[in-house]
């Protein structure tokens, strides 16, 4: 079992992952409405990945004999001025998630809970990727600027992204 303090902290993280999923689902709906199906697809894949993050942490708590406690998910925004704005919000949010994961690891280390630290290490690597991807999108969108054809081309590219579920050890 993990300690009560860690159990509570991981449950809070599960809520944060579902909030992330909710945020990206809202972005997906917004861009579908704006006639940008590729961006809508990209955020829909992101939504599904965030659900996997929450499920991975739920599976971990269950595997340790702890309790999962699902709590209400806070409201998210429903509109963004531009795709650049949405990706800037994405990067800002992912940086917050990175700090939450780092704080969780600090608690696990203080308690010498190496199994939990090991589980969280997957998220450390994932966050590096998440921040890098969001920054890459911001860089591309700044290059594109107000060029409608550039945005159209990027939308076509992002339509190709497909969801890859976590399997085996990755999922647990
Ligand atoms: Fe699960 Fe994008 O943090």
């Amino acid at each position: 079992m993990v300690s009560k303090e860690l159990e509570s902290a991981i449950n809070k993280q599960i809520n944060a992952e579902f909030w992330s999923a909710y945020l990206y689902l809202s972005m997906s709906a917004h861009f579908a409405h704006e006639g940008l199906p590729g961006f809508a697809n990209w955020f829909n894949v992101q939504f599904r990945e965030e659900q996997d993050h929450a499920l991975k942490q739920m599976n971990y708590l269950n595997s340790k004999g702890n309790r999962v406690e699902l709590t209400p998910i806070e409201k998210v925004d429903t509109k963004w001025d531009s795709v650049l704005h949405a990706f800037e919000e994405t990067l800002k949010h992912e940086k917050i998630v990175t700090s939450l994961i780092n704080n969780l690891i600090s608690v696990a280390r203080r308690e010498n809970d190496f199994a939990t630290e090991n589980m969280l290490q997957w998220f450390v690597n994932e966050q590096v990727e998440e921040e890098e991807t969001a920054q890459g999108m911001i860089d591309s969108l700044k290059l594109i600027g107000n060029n409608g054809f550039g945005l159209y081309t990027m939308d076509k590219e992002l339509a190709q992204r497909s969801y890859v579920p976590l399997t085996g050890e990755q999922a647990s």
Side-chain angles (χ1 to χ4, degrees):
M1 272 190 125
V2 307
S3 71
K4 277 285 160 207
E5 186 184 354
L6 258 182
E7 180 185 277
S8 166
I10 295 171
N11 271 311
K12 282 195 181 118
Q13 187 64 31
I14 289 167
N15 185 276
E17 300 290 351
F18 277 126
W19 190 86
S20 305
Y22 214 37
L23 174 67
Y24 297 140
L25 185 61
S26 185
M27 287 179 174
S28 177
H30 170 73
F31 290 118
H33 182 261
E34 294 291 304
L36 290 165
F39 284 97
N41 173 63
W42 194 91
F43 280 110
N44 188 274
V45 173
Q46 201 68 12
F47 152 67
R48 298 176 78 182
E49 285 192 3
E50 295 298 349
Q51 286 187 310
D52 282 349
H53 296 172
L55 289 169
K56 181 178 171 74
Q57 291 165 15
M58 289 169 69
N59 288 342
Y60 180 72
L61 281 184
N62 277 324
S63 75
K64 300 294 280 181
N66 287 89
R67 298 284 308 178
V68 170
E69 191 182 339
L70 297 180
T71 50
I73 302 168
E74 287 283 326
K75 189 177 184 308
V76 291
D77 285 343
T78 53
K79 275 186 189 165
W80 290 267
D81 297 339
S82 63
V83 276
L84 177 59
H85 179 215
F87 278 105
E88 284 171 342
E89 290 288 303
T90 297
L91 180 59
K92 197 164 91 185
H93 176 62
E94 289 302 333
K95 284 185 174 174
I96 293 171
V97 174
T98 299
S99 67
L100 293 175
I101 296 287
N102 288 343
N103 288 342
L104 268 177
I105 290 181
S106 298
V107 179
R109 282 195 179 162
R110 200 172 64 228
E111 296 185 2
N112 286 337
D113 186 336
F114 303 118
T116 299
E117 185 179 343
N118 191 45
M119 182 275 291
L120 292 168
Q121 205 60 47
W122 183 90
F123 287 92
V124 171
N125 298 334
E126 180 70 10
Q127 285 310 118
V128 171
E129 207 180 291
E130 299 263 75
E131 286 188 30
E132 194 181 352
T133 304
Q135 185 62 60
M137 294 290 188
I138 290 168
D139 294 344
S140 298
L141 287 162
K142 281 186 175 166
L143 272 178
I144 286 170
N146 290 326
N147 184 321
F149 185 70
L151 197 61
Y152 172 81
T153 307
M154 193 167 169
D155 190 64
K156 290 279 171 227
E157 270 175 29
L158 298 186
Q160 305 305 315
R161 185 184 187 198
S162 54
Y163 167 67
V164 181
L166 297 182
T167 53
E169 266 188 30
Q170 279 191 327
S172 58

